Amino acid sequence: MKLNQIKGILCDLDGVLYNDSIVIDGVIATIKSLKSKGYQFLFVTNTSGVTSKELYHKLIALGIPVGENEILSPPLAALNYTIAQGYKEIEVLAGSSIKALFKDNFIINTTTPEAIIISDIGKNWDYQLINNLFLKVLNGSKIIGLHKGKFWKASEGLRIDIGAFIKGIEFATNTEATCIGKPNKSFYESAIEKINLPSHQLLMIGDDIIGDIQGAKAANLTAIQVKTGKYRKELTDKADVKPDFLIENFNHLPSLLY
Ligand SMILES: [Mg+2]
């Protein structure tokens, strides 16, 4: 069976096209070939350490053929959400470019913020930071996570991700954080709106059984999991939601399409 109704590809980045910053062999040629056949692309990522503009420049530097308007990532969605919630005083745990994105719209308050935005901060997590967050949330601050990833694949191996810390704070404070990126339904709705195709003409391809596959299925998309990146057989085997197709790597995608 070929997926001949598909016209658009929602494509995860990390673990599908590259690991950390090392491009997986063949993927650039595969994207070019799919684009030349008329498939539309939207790169849908939870990458939150940088703005989508910085991400665009990173992808171009890696040689990945991408348009500036073909990227959807959580920082801007989080900014829009935080504005819509009516918060005035916030704290931002993030790199400098994400902080700058928020600084223009809010008063930065690191003692009694109404909301705390948590983005990718790499290896900067420590006990002091987590305990301070715990105390602020007990005091009424809301947490807005750019995503809730459990772990990711860096070049040296798997690394724990911000979702694990957010979940820990939720557990300790009996509160629930808001998370913006995949598998959040509204993030997939934004992706579908941005690529502007009906869901039956779209597929999502990713390495994460929750963020990519469960999220895509909840949005009624064809879901394809690759065995690269953070894919682990045991996690896919025991998941409630299964991918429609499981393929070795991104370069096998054309064989499903035509
Ligand atoms: Mg991924």
Side-chain angles (χ1 to χ4, degrees), residues 17 20 23 39 56-57 67 75 84 86 106-107 118 120 122 132-134 139 157 170 173 192 209 219 221 225 241 257:
L17 304 183
D20 220 351
V23 176
Y39 290 95
Y56 164 72
H57 289 297
F106 298 96
I107 297 161
I118 301 183
D120 293 338
N132 284 340
L133 287 172
F134 161 72
N139 197 33
E170 288 180 318
T173 57
I192 293 166
I209 186 67
L221 307 176
Q225 191 175 19
V241 178
L257 295 171

Side-chain angles (χ1 to χ4, degrees), residues 1 40 45-46 57 59 70 144 148 152 246 253:
M1 190 191 84
Q40 288 184 54
T45 176
N46 274 356
H57 289 297
L59 296 178
E70 288 176 334
I144 299 170
K148 214 176 192 176
W152 61 288
L246 182 60
L253 181 58

Side-chain angles (χ1 to χ4, degrees), residues 1 21 35 60 91 119 125 141 145 246 256:
M1 190 191 84
S21 287
K35 283 193 162 184
I60 292 296
E91 178 175 0
S119 178
W125 288 97
S141 302
L246 182 60
L256 293 177

Side-chain angles (χ1 to χ4, degrees), residues 216-238:
K217 295 306 293 177
N220 290 317
L221 307 176
T222 300
I224 298 173
Q225 191 175 19
V226 289
K227 292 186 180 176
T228 50
K230 65 168 79 162
Y231 166 77
R232 291 290 171 279
K233 183 179 186 302
E234 61 276 18
L235 295 181
T236 297
D237 286 349
K238 70 173 189 208

Side-chain angles (χ1 to χ4, degrees), residues 141-187:
S141 302
K142 303 276 186 252
I143 293 221
I144 299 170
L146 266 64
H147 63 85
K148 214 176 192 176
K150 293 175 179 170
F151 59 89
W152 61 288
K153 172 104 182 273
S155 53
E156 80 276 13
L158 297 182
R159 273 201 216 157
I160 194 163
D161 211 340
I162 65 172
F165 298 109
I166 293 173
K167 195 89 182 170
I169 295 160
E170 288 180 318
F171 174 71
T173 57
N174 274 318
T175 60
E176 206 170 316
T178 299
C179 285
I180 301 295
K182 299 177 290 183
N184 196 311
K185 191 151 192 244
S186 65
F187 196 66

Side-chain angles (χ1 to χ4, degrees), residues 12 14 207 212:
D12 177 40
D14 216 333
D207 61 325
D212 299 320

